[in-house]
Amino acid sequence: MANHGCKGRPEQHPHTPSAHGCSPAGQVADNSPPAPPTAPRPCPNIKAIRTDPDYHSQNCINRNYPHLAETPQRIAALYEQWAALQTSLRTERGRHNNISGRLRARAPMKSTLAGDVVDEERESLLAEAKVLKEKITKVEAEEAALDEEMRELALQLPNTMHPDTPIGDEPKVLRYINEHILPAAPETLVSSVNPPPGNSKSHIQIGSELHLLDFSAAATVSGWGWYYLLNEAVLLEQALINYALHLAVQQGWQLVTPPSIVYSHIAAACGFKPRDQHGEQQIYTLQQPARHQGTKPELSLAGTAEIPLAGMYANRVFSEDELPLKTVGVSRSYRAEAGARGVESKGLYRVHEFTKVEMFAWTLPDPTSATPTEPNSITEAEATPKHPPPTPAEKVFSEMLHLQTTLLASLSLPARILSMPSTDLGASASNKIDIEAYMPSRYNTSTGPWGEVSSLSNCLDYQSRRLNARVRNVGPDKKKMEFPVTLNGTAVAVPRVLLAILENGWDEGVQGVVVPEVLRKWMGGVEVIKKRH
């Protein structure tokens, strides 16, 4: 039976150079494999969808994809047609093979002076074989069309949800970071035009007074949504990058500087589309030269290093001992996010270009647990609920969250950790955690004085299936090929953390911003940023 186009490609290997590193023509050899002319062959989990279409329909509704709610039933119906064709093909192929065997077994024709002897039975078999061959070819084409339609429909569906994800549109507060620094009890810090006493000066005011930010010049040069960082703000950006990388390296993350321009099909495989489900532009697409249009894949500006870090291992076959593979990359990120400018996105909060340190990890898939046997008796200890050991992905997920909370806590930023609801997950995430920092200037926004500074997602095998990345030697028999789990998380999104540092670090008494102690060694020992004269 066909596997719906999920055959793996051979592992990609770089070209082997000669001993002196040059090609036979004497030129320096390029040891990297050529760029793929087409997208990796995706392998959506059609079996899971057709086996339980009702679950996947409800999953679409829960995740705010109502227009896709009927797609799982459509896939199940197409599969029934596909299975019927498979049955008919088995019958027709069996008959065709039988005729072929009979023809091979027949004695060769004899010639006479009057000409060849006509073998009527042979002619009849040949005619029937021809009809069968034409029928088989036609049915195979129908089968391939059904297979491709199922694949295209399945690729549109969002990932399945983690059972702990809150259903609806309200996040669940898990805990707070540096709660003691907040000006009031966290549950009272809601959207209000009358914030509690304390600093209410925005980062825009602070940045202007201290000559750290220039939005006006950027609007002239590039338009709204861009900015200039000036003076100590430049040092703050570099300090945040260095500090985040320092923490990541301490935990064994591999450093990468990824490209910022990617093939659009790699972005799509990671769950990023040119426009979101509301029709709003998400990413920038680059215009190709006329001579390349239609011959080379479309290119886009990466909205996050997650995309090139994931694409780095497209079409890869991992061995079991290579995982977990943890990478951390620094890149410029580009977000189109067209929309009206307002209090929700003022200043540095929502910009089109920014520096970001991103974590991306590959882990082994969740192990298959054996069915527990029924105990003869239940002791008091056995009656206590037992928690299953964490999966490989859950271990890395916890490590990433620890790095995020450590960074924000050491920057003396109050923040809250949220389990994000089903409608906020996007297409690729199975579960998602956001961390929002306290930002006094955002009191009159829909979220109150809180602004997202980092996120963390477990994408299960959603991305690896679309990138055609696999892991071999999985399971007790060491012969299985499965799809690894991918996770991504923000180490530091510079503009928003910079915003929080300016607003939380403002000292009215000295008319300056107190620099977090952990950043000072990367800023030449600057402790307070004051007005320049």
Side-chain angles (χ1 to χ4, degrees), residues 203-266:
H203 68 284
I204 299 175
Q205 295 172 285
I206 297 169
S208 176
E209 292 177 10
L210 302 184
H211 301 289
L212 301 175
L213 305 172
D214 192 334
F215 295 100
S216 177
T220 301
V221 172
S222 306
W224 67 261
W226 272 269
Y227 56 95
Y228 283 99
L229 295 183
L230 308 174
N231 303 310
E232 288 89 346
V234 178
L235 297 179
L236 268 175
E237 177 178 53
Q238 298 305 314
L240 286 168
I241 294 170
N242 287 329
Y243 181 50
L245 293 179
H246 170 72
L247 292 179
V249 169
Q250 281 188 324
Q251 294 191 15
W253 290 75
Q254 175 185 329
L255 296 173
V256 180
T257 299
S260 292
I261 295 178
V262 297
Y263 285 130
S264 295
H265 59 246
I266 295 294

Side-chain angles (χ1 to χ4, degrees), residues 304 335 337 344 348-350 354 356 358 404 408 413-418 420 424-425 432-439 442 445 447-457 488-490 492-500:
T304 167
R335 304 284 178 90
E337 295 181 313
E344 295 279 356
L348 290 175
Y349 192 75
R350 194 174 300 282
F354 57 96
K356 188 180 181 200
E358 180 79 4
Q404 292 173 324
L408 293 173
L413 296 178
R416 62 180 185 176
I417 303 174
L418 306 176
M420 299 309 291
D424 195 70
L425 292 182
K432 179 170 174 270
I433 284 179
D434 279 2
I435 303 181
E436 296 182 337
Y438 176 69
M439 300 176 180
R442 290 180 56 79
T445 64
T447 62
W450 303 100
E452 179 193 341
V453 291
S454 67
S455 65
L456 173 59
S457 299
N488 65 83
T490 312
V492 63
V494 171
R496 291 189 179 180
V497 175
L498 193 105
L499 182 165

Side-chain angles (χ1 to χ4, degrees), residues 128-148:
E128 185 179 358
K130 181 180 179 181
V131 172
L132 285 171
K133 182 63 176 177
E134 291 174 350
K135 186 175 181 180
I136 290 171
T137 300
K138 181 181 179 181
V139 173
E140 285 177 338
E142 294 175 2
E143 179 192 38
L146 288 172
D147 184 76
E148 189 61 28

Side-chain angles (χ1 to χ4, degrees), residues 122-430:
R122 179 183 178 86
E123 293 299 316
S124 175
L125 290 174
L126 287 171
E128 185 179 358
K130 181 180 179 181
V131 172
L132 285 171
K133 182 63 176 177
E134 291 174 350
K135 186 175 181 180
I136 290 171
T137 300
K138 181 181 179 181
V139 173
E140 285 177 338
E142 294 175 2
E143 179 192 38
L146 288 172
D147 184 76
E148 189 61 28
E149 186 175 357
M150 283 189 288
R151 176 194 303 279
E152 292 300 322
L153 290 172
L155 289 173
Q156 297 174 24
L157 297 179
N159 202 349
T160 56
M161 281 195 312
H162 191 278
D164 291 342
T165 297
I167 304 297
D169 54 12
E170 288 296 325
K172 177 183 178 182
V173 179
L174 300 179
R175 60 188 177 91
Y176 291 89
I177 302 170
N178 290 330
E179 183 178 347
H180 63 284
I181 304 177
L182 292 169
E187 60 273 11
T188 67
L189 300 177
V190 297
S191 181
S192 171
V193 294
N194 297 311
N199 173 40
S200 59
K201 184 174 286 191
S202 76
H203 68 284
I204 299 175
Q205 295 172 285
I206 297 169
S208 176
E209 292 177 10
L210 302 184
H211 301 289
L212 301 175
L213 305 172
D214 192 334
F215 295 100
S216 177
T220 301
V221 172
S222 306
W224 67 261
W226 272 269
Y227 56 95
Y228 283 99
L229 295 183
L230 308 174
N231 303 310
E232 288 89 346
V234 178
L235 297 179
L236 268 175
E237 177 178 53
Q238 298 305 314
L240 286 168
I241 294 170
N242 287 329
Y243 181 50
L245 293 179
H246 170 72
L247 292 179
V249 169
Q250 281 188 324
Q251 294 191 15
W253 290 75
Q254 175 185 329
L255 296 173
V256 180
T257 299
S260 292
I261 295 178
V262 297
Y263 285 130
S264 295
H265 59 246
I266 295 294
C270 295
F272 290 82
K273 299 180 180 179
R275 294 185 179 275
D276 64 16
Q277 56 183 317
H278 305 296
E280 185 172 284
Q281 185 181 357
Q282 285 188 305
I283 59 178
Y284 291 106
T285 300
L286 301 182
Q287 184 174 357
Q288 295 275 41
R291 66 182 185 277
H292 291 160
Q293 290 181 4
T295 62
K296 289 195 173 184
E298 183 182 77
L299 292 168
S300 300
L301 293 176
T304 167
E306 171 192 343
I307 299 171
L309 289 176
M312 186 177 177
Y313 293 98
N315 296 321
R316 173 68 180 267
V317 178
F318 295 101
S319 60
E320 191 174 7
D321 58 5
E322 288 183 277
L323 303 181
L325 176 61
K326 305 182 299 183
T327 58
V328 58
V330 184
S331 73
R332 296 293 279 180
S333 300
Y334 301 87
R335 304 284 178 90
E337 295 181 313
R341 294 291 284 177
V343 68
E344 295 279 356
S345 57
K346 67 180 182 179
L348 290 175
Y349 192 75
R350 194 174 300 282
V351 292
H352 292 305
E353 180 182 5
F354 57 96
T355 302
K356 188 180 181 200
V357 181
E358 180 79 4
M359 297 177 286
F360 192 91
W362 302 80
T363 76
L364 290 170
D366 296 349
T368 303
S369 57
T371 304
T373 56
E374 202 65 37
N376 295 325
S377 62
I378 300 178
T379 65
E380 184 176 348
E382 290 171 335
T384 304
K386 295 180 179 179
H387 298 285
T391 65
E394 288 170 342
K395 290 180 181 179
V396 176
F397 192 89
S398 297
E399 179 184 327
M400 295 166 77
L401 180 59
H402 175 71
L403 188 147
Q404 292 173 324
T405 55
T406 297
L407 184 141
L408 293 173
S410 61
L411 293 176
S412 299
L413 296 178
R416 62 180 185 176
I417 303 174
L418 306 176
S419 178
M420 299 309 291
S422 57
T423 58
D424 195 70
L425 292 182
S428 61
S430 175

Side-chain angles (χ1 to χ4, degrees), residues 31-60:
N31 294 334
S32 59
T38 57
R41 180 71 168 168
C43 183
N45 195 345
I46 295 175
K47 181 179 180 181
I49 298 168
R50 65 174 173 78
T51 302
D52 195 352
D54 291 340
Y55 166 80
H56 288 272
S57 292
Q58 187 61 47
N59 184 60
C60 290

